[in-house]
């Protein structure tokens, strides 16, 4: 297993990016300003994009694992990689996500705790309703993990 930074042609991974953020113009808001990593285990299994949010906060803007490889520890490996790589530069790793029964437990297992939320984020910023695990995503839930 190898994790590498991607500096050019980040959109070559658009199919993975859209798994985590299904509207391309929303991905475009952070893709170029963010730092992208891909996890390879034979071939690309997962990706993530992080941004510096100031005040020693590093934010995961996008993290996705190829559907056939979910549940194999690749997402957690990326989070552990970020925590180790950035521990000296940042004090907090945060992620904003929908209040989904599929994603919140994953982040909690990775050591994140809920911090705040932005009401109506998904209904205000996306051009269609988004459902995950049978639940419509409405509010953006922020979770944080100390580094």
């Amino acid at each position: 297993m190898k994790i590498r930074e991607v500096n050019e042609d980040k959109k070559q991974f658009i199919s993975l990016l859209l798994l985590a953020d299904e509207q391309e113009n929303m991905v475009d808001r952070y893709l170029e300003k963010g730092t992208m990593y891909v996890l390879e285990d034979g071939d690309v299994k997962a990706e993530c994009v992080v941004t510096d949010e100031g005040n020693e906060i590093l934010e995961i803007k996008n993290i996705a694992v190829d559907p056939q490889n979910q549940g194999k520890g690749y997402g957690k490996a990326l989070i552990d990689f970020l925590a180790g790589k950035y521990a000296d530069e940042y004090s907090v790793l945060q992620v904003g996500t929908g209040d989904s029964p599929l994603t919140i437990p994953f982040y909690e297992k990775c050591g994140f705790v809920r911090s705040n939320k932005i009401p109506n984020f998904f209904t205000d910023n996306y051009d269609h309703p988004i459902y995950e695990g049978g639940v419509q995503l409405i509010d953006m839930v922020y979770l944080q993990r100390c580094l």
Side-chain angles (χ1 to χ4, degrees), residues 14-83:
I14 194 67
S15 61
L16 275 174
L17 290 160
L18 291 173
L19 288 174
D21 195 341
E22 63 183 59
Q23 192 166 300
E24 191 168 348
N25 71 331
M26 295 296 281
V27 172
D28 291 340
R29 290 183 176 188
Y30 54 79
L31 187 58
E32 287 310 313
K33 76 174 185 171
T35 304
M36 176 182 241
Y37 297 96
V38 293
L39 182 151
E40 299 170 326
D41 193 0
D43 57 356
V44 174
K45 305 291 190 204
E47 64 73 30
C48 68
V49 179
V50 293
T51 58
D52 181 338
E53 298 298 310
N55 298 322
E56 296 185 13
I57 297 172
L58 182 69
E59 183 168 336
I60 299 171
K61 291 290 192 180
N62 191 303
I63 185 167
V65 176
D66 174 70
Q68 291 147 339
N69 291 288
Q70 291 175 358
K72 296 180 180 177
Y74 293 126
K76 184 176 185 324
L78 273 173
I79 288 173
D80 291 344
F81 165 80
L82 295 171

Side-chain angles (χ1 to χ4, degrees), residues 96-101 103-104 114 122 132 137-141 143:
T97 189
D99 198 358
S100 162
T103 55
I104 299 289
R114 289 176 187 246
F122 290 95
E132 194 171 287
L137 304 184
I138 296 171
D139 301 333
M140 171 83 79
V141 177
L143 298 99

Side-chain angles (χ1 to χ4, degrees), residues 86-117:
Y86 290 103
D88 293 338
E89 293 176 64
Y90 297 90
S91 58
V92 172
L93 180 61
Q94 79 176 10
V95 63
T97 189
D99 198 358
S100 162
L102 302 178
T103 55
I104 299 289
F106 166 74
Y107 289 116
E108 290 173 338
K109 266 201 271 187
C110 291
F112 289 80
V113 295
R114 289 176 187 246
S115 63
N116 63 299
K117 69 179 178 176

